[in-house]
Amino acid sequence: MPEPVKIIEWQHLDKKKFYVFGPTLFFGIRAVLYPPNLIKTRLQVQRKRSMYKGTFDAFRNIVKQEGIRGLYKGYLVSNFSLLSGQCYITTYELLRQKTSYYTDNLALRGFFAGACASIVGQTIMVPVDIISQFLMVQGQGQCSSTYKPKGAGMVVKQIWENQGIRGFYRGYGISLMTYAPTSGVWWASYGQYLGIVGSLVPNGTAPIVVQGIAGPLAGLTAATAVNPLDVLRTRLQVGGGSSVVAVLKDLLREEGFIMGLSKGLTARITTMMPSSFLITLGYETIKRLSLRSDLVESGEFKIR
């Protein structure tokens, strides 16, 4: 019988190490994952197939018309999310620890802690998201040598002058409706897949291998389940609209149920499966590097 993967909990961590290793590693991961996220955003905002026929067509045209830099519009602004990420993961780990006193169900603990962590993270992240999304979509389809894009400062000024503070929280409600379930489903699925994959691999398999398989499967599950809400969120934040219901009606009228609510799903899966792989390996590595010295010396956790 394969040995179950032992999960590193909040109380096992040296917090000083954790808060140094975390932002450093995730800054690099974001650089790799940003282009697929930009493509997903553009696909979700466009009307029908007015500009891009799909994920790979979007990639080809962005590089051709805007250069490699076009894939990184809004990247620097988006890195303010590192603060959001640290608040998110701290909330997740603390709540996961607290809920262990009430239930041993990993899926339930993961869903609750992940959803609550997302609420905290999104409160910080939504303004950053809105600014970076404006930067992502501006100048699409135009040659980079002739189009002069607005900088982040101009975008912030424009939003403030037109809408005030509310402009930076447009779609906040639907962001919570999107990301809280996504986060909850991801962590709940991840816990379940750890058990399933762990039961199938040979005994002695390194825990990081099991985690590296479980992460992408959790990403696929969460991406598919919550994509319709993500489409509505992106359209509301970037394209405007009086309400979620109004945006939904317009989307269904223009493109139908299946096509409308599955827009960007391929790009979303293309983003979430590799991102889940990298984030899982990155986060589990950070936790292993951040183990308390006494636990490392005791050999309680396998560092492989």
Side-chain angles (χ1 to χ4, degrees), residues 7 20 38 48 60 66 152 206 228-229 300 302:
I7 297 174
V20 170
L38 180 141
K48 296 187 177 180
R60 184 174 61 250
E66 304 171 50
L229 287 174
E300 183 176 342
K302 295 179 180 179

mmCIF file of all heavy atoms in Angstrom, residues 7 20 38 48 60 66 152 206 228-229 300 302:
data_model
loop_
_atom_site.group_PDB
_atom_site.id
_atom_site.type_symbol
_atom_site.label_atom_id
_atom_site.label_comp_id
_atom_site.label_asym_id
_atom_site.label_seq_id
_atom_site.Cartn_x
_atom_site.Cartn_y
_atom_site.Cartn_z
ATOM 1 N N ILE A 7 1.074 16.081 4.494
ATOM 2 C CA ILE A 7 0.891 17.500 4.178
ATOM 3 C C ILE A 7 1.582 18.366 5.216
ATOM 4 O O ILE A 7 1.438 18.154 6.428
ATOM 5 C CB ILE A 7 -0.614 17.841 4.123
ATOM 6 C CG1 ILE A 7 -1.281 17.052 2.989
ATOM 7 C CG2 ILE A 7 -0.824 19.336 3.920
ATOM 8 C CD1 ILE A 7 -2.790 17.208 2.929
ATOM 9 N N VAL A 20 10.114 34.962 2.872
ATOM 10 C CA VAL A 20 11.213 35.335 1.979
ATOM 11 C C VAL A 20 11.161 34.509 0.699
ATOM 12 O O VAL A 20 11.220 35.043 -0.413
ATOM 13 C CB VAL A 20 12.583 35.155 2.668
ATOM 14 C CG1 VAL A 20 13.719 35.316 1.642
ATOM 15 C CG2 VAL A 20 12.751 36.165 3.797
ATOM 16 N N LEU A 38 -3.092 36.848 -20.499
ATOM 17 C CA LEU A 38 -3.413 37.983 -21.362
ATOM 18 C C LEU A 38 -4.254 37.525 -22.552
ATOM 19 O O LEU A 38 -5.242 38.168 -22.912
ATOM 20 C CB LEU A 38 -2.125 38.657 -21.838
ATOM 21 C CG LEU A 38 -2.294 39.869 -22.769
ATOM 22 C CD1 LEU A 38 -1.267 40.956 -22.438
ATOM 23 C CD2 LEU A 38 -2.154 39.468 -24.242
ATOM 24 N N LYS A 48 -17.767 37.847 -30.436
ATOM 25 C CA LYS A 48 -17.689 36.667 -31.292
ATOM 26 C C LYS A 48 -16.228 36.392 -31.650
ATOM 27 O O LYS A 48 -15.396 36.284 -30.772
ATOM 28 C CB LYS A 48 -18.575 36.851 -32.527
ATOM 29 C CG LYS A 48 -20.062 36.965 -32.175
ATOM 30 C CD LYS A 48 -20.951 36.974 -33.397
ATOM 31 C CE LYS A 48 -22.413 37.018 -32.979
ATOM 32 N NZ LYS A 48 -23.325 37.022 -34.136
ATOM 33 N N ARG A 60 -0.369 34.183 -32.177
ATOM 34 C CA ARG A 60 0.359 34.512 -33.402
ATOM 35 C C ARG A 60 0.157 35.975 -33.803
ATOM 36 O O ARG A 60 1.118 36.680 -34.142
ATOM 37 C CB ARG A 60 -0.108 33.586 -34.531
ATOM 38 C CG ARG A 60 0.669 33.791 -35.850
ATOM 39 C CD ARG A 60 0.272 32.770 -36.894
ATOM 40 N NE ARG A 60 -1.143 32.864 -37.240
ATOM 41 C CZ ARG A 60 -2.054 31.966 -36.913
ATOM 42 N NH1 ARG A 60 -1.704 30.902 -36.202
ATOM 43 N NH2 ARG A 60 -3.319 32.103 -37.266
ATOM 44 N N GLU A 66 2.166 43.245 -32.298
ATOM 45 C CA GLU A 66 2.600 44.037 -31.147
ATOM 46 C C GLU A 66 3.958 43.620 -30.603
ATOM 47 O O GLU A 66 4.481 44.270 -29.679
ATOM 48 C CB GLU A 66 1.545 43.942 -30.039
ATOM 49 C CG GLU A 66 0.150 44.372 -30.487
ATOM 50 C CD GLU A 66 -0.906 44.069 -29.441
ATOM 51 O OE1 GLU A 66 -0.693 44.449 -28.272
ATOM 52 O OE2 GLU A 66 -1.936 43.458 -29.793
ATOM 53 N N ALA A 152 0.324 52.902 -16.955
ATOM 54 C CA ALA A 152 -0.550 52.576 -15.828
ATOM 55 C C ALA A 152 -1.072 53.833 -15.143
ATOM 56 O O ALA A 152 -2.236 53.897 -14.733
ATOM 57 C CB ALA A 152 0.206 51.700 -14.826
ATOM 58 N N ALA A 206 8.290 9.801 -4.702
ATOM 59 C CA ALA A 206 8.523 11.073 -4.019
ATOM 60 C C ALA A 206 7.229 11.864 -3.920
ATOM 61 O O ALA A 206 6.471 11.942 -4.893
ATOM 62 C CB ALA A 206 9.581 11.881 -4.763
ATOM 63 N N PRO A 228 -17.690 29.852 -16.946
ATOM 64 C CA PRO A 228 -18.786 30.781 -17.264
ATOM 65 C C PRO A 228 -18.786 32.049 -16.400
ATOM 66 O O PRO A 228 -19.003 33.156 -16.900
ATOM 67 C CB PRO A 228 -20.038 29.940 -17.011
ATOM 68 C CG PRO A 228 -19.594 28.540 -17.259
ATOM 69 C CD PRO A 228 -18.198 28.484 -16.728
ATOM 70 N N LEU A 229 -18.524 31.908 -15.122
ATOM 71 C CA LEU A 229 -18.462 33.073 -14.245
ATOM 72 C C LEU A 229 -17.273 33.962 -14.588
ATOM 73 O O LEU A 229 -17.355 35.190 -14.488
ATOM 74 C CB LEU A 229 -18.365 32.621 -12.783
ATOM 75 C CG LEU A 229 -19.633 32.033 -12.167
ATOM 76 C CD1 LEU A 229 -19.349 31.506 -10.771
ATOM 77 C CD2 LEU A 229 -20.743 33.072 -12.119
ATOM 78 N N GLU A 300 11.003 13.969 10.143
ATOM 79 C CA GLU A 300 9.563 13.714 10.142
ATOM 80 C C GLU A 300 8.962 13.833 8.756
ATOM 81 O O GLU A 300 8.021 13.142 8.401
ATOM 82 C CB GLU A 300 8.863 14.692 11.108
ATOM 83 C CG GLU A 300 7.368 14.457 11.237
ATOM 84 C CD GLU A 300 6.730 15.367 12.272
ATOM 85 O OE1 GLU A 300 7.462 15.926 13.103
ATOM 86 O OE2 GLU A 300 5.494 15.493 12.245
ATOM 87 N N LYS A 302 9.738 13.835 4.528
ATOM 88 C CA LYS A 302 10.685 13.418 3.503
ATOM 89 C C LYS A 302 11.021 14.602 2.611
ATOM 90 O O LYS A 302 10.131 15.158 1.955
ATOM 91 C CB LYS A 302 10.097 12.289 2.650
ATOM 92 C CG LYS A 302 9.847 11.004 3.429
ATOM 93 C CD LYS A 302 9.234 9.948 2.496
ATOM 94 C CE LYS A 302 8.975 8.652 3.267
ATOM 95 N NZ LYS A 302 8.376 7.636 2.382
#
